[in-house]
Amino acid sequence: SRAPVTCEIMTAPVLLPTSGKILDRASITRHLLSDETDPFSRKRLTADMLVPDDALRARIQAFLAEHRKGKKKPDDGDSMDTH
């Protein structure tokens, strides 16, 4: 699952209880250092209020493991090297 703000794959998804949105812990923690509000609802939010989404984290880890397992090696003709 991709973070709605950064569009990167989340490594530590957390639920923002003040809006119901899920963000990566690193992204929301950075935001909270300068503004202790939920970026979606503008309600007060602190780092200790974040709820880890362990089920989503497990699904992301399984997806990444499966993706790595099926990934081709660069020397099998699928390389992006064009020279």
Side-chain angles (χ1 to χ4, degrees), residues 28-75:
I28 189 62
T29 300
R30 268 193 311 274
H31 166 78
L32 294 175
L33 289 173
S34 62
D35 184 1
E36 285 191 338
T37 61
D38 182 314
F40 300 97
S41 70
R42 306 306 300 163
K43 293 180 183 175
R44 184 173 183 280
L45 178 66
T46 60
D48 62 320
M49 296 168 68
L50 302 175
V51 180
D53 190 335
D54 295 328
L56 180 56
R57 183 177 184 184
R59 289 182 18 222
I60 292 169
Q61 289 174 338
F63 168 82
L64 292 174
E66 186 64 29
H67 180 71
R68 280 187 216 109
K69 187 169 63 173
K71 198 170 187 176
K72 296 180 179 182
K73 295 178 183 142
D75 62 350

